[in-house]
Amino acid sequence: MYDCINAEKTTVGNKGQGGQPADKGSDDILAFAFSSSGNYFALTDDNKHLILFHTKPSWECVSVRSVNRRCTALIITAAEDKILVADKSGDVYSYSITEPQTEGKLELGHLSLLLDVALSPDDRYILTADRDEKIRVSLAKAPHNIVSYCLGHKEFVSKIFVIPDYPDLLLSASGDCTVRLWEYRSGKEVYCCHLSSVSEPEATKTDQLDAIAQQLVYRQQISLKHKGWDIAFEETGDFWILQEDSEAPLLLYRPDDGQWKPVTDDKGLQKMSKYLHDNWTVFEGFVGAESHYSSLYKASFDNMATYLQRKEERLQQQKKKRKDLQHGSNGQTKKIKTEESSL
């Protein structure tokens, strides 16, 4: 086990803007990723650390470096020579793995908060998704050269994934409750699935990619008794669900006759469930918490009703003033005429 608190002692370049010490955060892990071979593992925490591990033959901390902003996503290149880190200011930095003590290099930037970063399987393209509904495709060797935009989402793009067996296709998920399939090099949307039309509350929906027809085919919906926190597939085909329940934090499903069937007697499931149950205090702060995605929706303001109401109030006030002035003027006229007649 590695405690991120220990990273404070060995951080390279742990300075904020203007050479001042970086602001102190928590030790929460914000993003992490394995390399494709599993030889490397990288994570970033709330203290603006980028920590790199070598995992074979045993886990070893290779480096601890400072990042400029708190990160939202990271990925390791297929060549396993760089880590790409996306941050809240909209920038993507690259950090060398072969030279693990060097500082990061700015690769590209958005004008909006970045939520995910991905790479094509050949490391030729960098794909970035932001809060402003955009997916950008850039050349990795010249990131200023934008190849295309994938446009169509109506809300923030929370996740993007280049399909390994179909490297020309990209899947994206968004706060508009859609999953979309793209030919990302041209920016062409080839399929859109509206999840709200098929999903129920507290359910996990499973779709299968039909690459020939270039669409997602609905297969099954798994109903959950508790809020789902995360899901993952194994290479063997097993499907894991992490849910908000201390008694049964993990669920395991396996494909059987074209359907996902629950598994309860798996030793790995029992071992991991016991470990999570015994250490549930780590998760207690997240139980019942509001989804962090809720803050990503843009607030819309309808000022027209307020404007019309205030306009009407001003008009009424102006009418009242004119009446008062007219009334005062008529009274003065009558007084003058009365004085003249008495003379």
Side-chain angles (χ1 to χ4, degrees):
M1 180 179 291
Y2 184 86
D3 192 340
C4 290
I5 296 175
N6 299 328
E8 195 70 27
K9 301 176 183 178
T10 55
T11 301
V12 175
N14 189 21
K15 296 289 184 181
Q17 290 183 323
Q20 299 299 318
D23 57 309
K24 180 73 174 176
S26 70
D27 298 308
D28 293 344
I29 295 173
L30 303 180
F32 63 87
F34 278 95
S35 64
S36 55
S37 69
N39 288 333
Y40 292 99
F41 176 78
L43 68 85
T44 60
D45 65 14
D46 196 49
N47 271 315
K48 302 182 184 178
H49 295 141
L50 172 63
I51 306 174
L52 174 65
F53 295 89
H54 196 272
T55 62
K56 298 177 182 179
S58 60
W59 282 65
E60 175 188 2
C61 181
V62 177
S63 68
V64 181
R65 284 173 278 190
S66 173
V67 295
N68 292 334
R69 297 286 188 275
R70 288 182 174 85
C71 302
T72 54
L74 63 85
I75 190 171
I76 298 175
T77 59
E80 299 188 354
D81 58 349
K82 291 180 182 178
I83 308 167
L84 295 183
V85 177
D87 63 32
K88 291 186 174 182
S89 64
D91 295 328
V92 172
Y93 285 81
S94 65
Y95 292 82
S96 174
I97 292 178
T98 55
E99 299 178 2
Q101 303 303 324
T102 58
E103 296 187 6
K105 174 188 174 184
L106 178 63
E107 297 289 351
L108 60 90
H110 283 231
L111 296 177
S112 177
L113 167 70
L114 281 178
L115 296 175
D116 203 8
V117 59
L119 286 162
S120 59
D122 58 4
D123 288 340
R124 186 178 179 185
Y125 300 102
I126 302 174
L127 298 93
T128 45
D130 67 22
R131 188 187 180 189
D132 287 341
E133 309 99 31
K134 297 191 304 297
I135 301 170
R136 182 198 293 182
V137 183
S138 308
L139 278 178
K141 291 186 177 180
H144 60 276
N145 189 336
I146 299 173
V147 178
S148 68
Y149 283 99
C150 299
L151 304 176
H153 282 297
K154 305 302 182 185
E155 288 288 350
F156 59 87
V157 183
S158 55
K159 191 69 178 177
I160 53 176
F161 178 69
V162 178
I163 304 169
D165 293 337
Y166 305 96
D168 294 330
L169 296 178
L170 172 75
L171 273 173
S172 64
S174 167
D176 61 10
C177 294
T178 65
V179 175
R180 300 178 190 240
L181 189 64
W182 310 83
E183 290 179 350
Y184 61 87
R185 284 185 292 182
S186 65
K188 178 184 177 183
E189 179 185 312
V190 295
Y191 185 74
C192 176
C193 175
H194 293 270
L195 300 180
S196 57
S197 63
V198 295
S199 291
E200 299 175 357
E202 305 302 339
T204 298
K205 179 177 178 291
T206 58
D207 294 309
Q208 182 175 331
L209 173 66
D210 185 341
I212 297 176
Q214 292 190 332
Q215 64 181 13
L216 294 172
V217 180
Y218 174 79
R219 292 299 185 193
Q220 184 181 350
Q221 188 165 277
I222 300 172
S223 297
L224 304 177
K225 294 181 180 180
H226 304 275
K227 182 188 294 184
W229 277 344
D230 204 357
I231 60 174
F233 286 93
E234 281 194 64
E235 293 181 357
T236 58
D238 287 356
F239 177 43
W240 295 80
I241 302 174
L242 175 65
Q243 63 176 0
E244 187 184 87
D245 180 26
S246 62
E247 297 302 321
L250 279 178
L251 301 176
L252 175 60
Y253 287 80
R254 284 183 181 147
D256 184 11
D257 293 332
Q259 292 288 307
W260 294 96
K261 301 293 181 62
V263 178
T264 58
D265 58 353
D266 183 84
K267 291 183 178 179
L269 170 65
Q270 294 169 357
K271 181 180 178 180
M272 288 300 300
S273 295
K274 183 180 184 303
Y275 180 83
L276 293 174
H277 175 75
D278 294 344
N279 294 274
W280 191 251
T281 52
V282 176
F283 300 94
E284 285 180 347
F286 301 98
V287 175
E290 185 180 9
S291 170
H292 68 277
Y293 290 120
S294 60
S295 63
L296 297 176
Y297 288 96
K298 295 179 179 178
S300 59
F301 300 95
D302 182 10
N303 295 329
M304 184 57 67
T306 303
Y307 166 75
L308 292 175
Q309 180 182 353
R310 291 180 178 176
K311 181 179 180 181
E312 183 63 25
E313 290 174 354
R314 288 196 300 270
L315 291 174
Q316 293 299 328
Q317 289 174 359
Q318 290 173 2
K319 287 181 180 179
K320 186 175 182 299
K321 287 181 179 179
R322 284 197 293 269
K323 286 182 179 180
D324 291 344
L325 289 172
Q326 186 177 6
H327 179 74
S329 176
N330 291 338
Q332 186 68 23
T333 302
K334 289 180 179 179
K335 183 178 179 181
I336 294 172
K337 287 183 178 180
T338 302
E339 289 177 351
E340 290 177 349
S341 62
S342 63
L343 294 174

